[in-house]
Amino acid sequence: MAVEGLFYTPAYYDYIVNDDLNKVQSEISDTISQVNFTKHKGWGETNHSLSDPTFKTDYLNLYKLEFTKKHLLIHIQRYLSSFSNNEYDISIESSWLTNTQKGEHTTVHNHGGFDISGVYYFQTNGKDGSLYLMNPITSLVSSHYFKPDECLYYHPEVGKLVLFPSWLYHGVRPNDTDDTRISLSFNVKISVKRG
């Protein structure tokens, strides 16, 4: 007899800590004053602001956050190795900061066209809006026996990094506090190494 978990959707979280956390936080902090946070025109006034709402600039490369990028790549490799023995070429294709004020949220969306998406929490009080990943098997809601959780929640913490498949629909709960949450989001493309 065998019981298998079908249609596995891996998500990952970990923390950047100690001296590494201090260096990542310092790299991002050194750029904040240069960022002009702007809302995306098509998303409405209650959505968060972005370092570039056109997504044409790559925050990590624009501001040369080499240490931060190196640590993101380490975690992406760990994520991939948890479910695959293949060796991958990994490329962070786009990155941006989000700024979420009181009353703002992130509408449900996905990052189609990429393989992995992620978020790193730079500034949060831990109660200013949780990331939620929506269950991709929507037809299970009709079952009385196999009804899954509708969403998986990740609560924000400074230094926390969350990775998930880019096709997975996700959003962020409203920030109901008086504090501002700032996070770094990014998209990754992967390809299997040849030879």
Side-chain angles (χ1 to χ4, degrees):
M1 182 178 100
V3 177
E4 298 178 322
L6 300 178
F7 311 117
Y8 177 59
T9 306
Y12 169 102
Y13 78 92
D14 201 356
Y15 298 87
I16 297 175
V17 296
N18 302 327
D19 288 341
D20 292 340
L21 174 63
N22 293 334
K23 289 177 185 175
V24 169
Q25 290 291 103
S26 179
E27 269 194 342
I28 295 173
S29 182
D30 288 346
T31 70
I32 291 289
S33 64
Q34 302 170 55
V35 174
N36 180 24
F37 288 104
T38 310
K39 291 191 180 293
H40 188 286
K41 291 180 181 176
W43 292 355
E45 286 303 309
T46 59
N47 263 281
H48 61 273
S49 297
L50 302 157
S51 58
D52 177 13
T54 69
F55 299 102
K56 291 180 181 174
T57 59
D58 182 348
Y59 170 78
L60 289 168
N61 288 332
L62 178 66
Y63 293 104
K64 299 178 175 55
L65 275 67
E66 296 300 326
F67 189 84
T68 301
K69 187 172 184 178
K70 179 181 98 172
H71 275 274
L72 295 180
L73 290 169
I74 288 169
H75 284 276
I76 293 164
Q77 185 59 55
R78 286 180 189 162
Y79 173 46
L80 291 169
S81 66
S82 72
F83 58 85
S84 173
N85 292 323
N86 290 324
E87 290 290 322
Y88 293 97
D89 287 317
I90 303 168
S91 174
I92 298 176
E93 297 284 312
S94 59
S95 59
W96 61 95
L97 290 181
T98 64
N99 178 310
T100 308
Q101 304 283 331
K102 183 176 183 177
E104 296 179 340
H105 71 288
T106 304
T107 302
V108 173
H109 64 289
N110 70 22
H111 297 209
F114 297 97
D115 297 304
I116 297 168
S117 294
V119 60
Y120 168 80
Y121 293 102
F122 167 72
Q123 177 180 299
T124 176
N125 63 21
K127 300 176 183 176
D128 44 21
S130 296
L131 168 71
Y132 58 94
L133 306 179
M134 298 184 71
N135 190 320
I137 308 176
T138 56
S139 58
L140 283 177
V141 298
S142 64
S143 172
H144 295 288
Y145 301 103
F146 299 105
K147 193 169 184 177
D149 292 333
E150 185 178 324
C151 298
L152 178 63
Y153 287 89
Y154 289 93
H155 304 294
E157 299 173 71
V158 172
K160 187 176 194 175
L161 172 68
V162 182
L163 302 170
F164 52 91
S166 296
W167 53 261
L168 195 60
Y169 279 94
H170 59 283
V172 181
R173 302 295 302 159
N175 178 358
D176 294 326
T177 74
D178 292 326
D179 297 321
T180 298
R181 184 182 68 253
I182 298 177
S183 56
L184 167 64
S185 297
F186 53 93
N187 290 320
V188 177
K189 284 197 173 182
I190 60 171
S191 58
V192 177
K193 285 186 178 177
R194 302 290 180 204

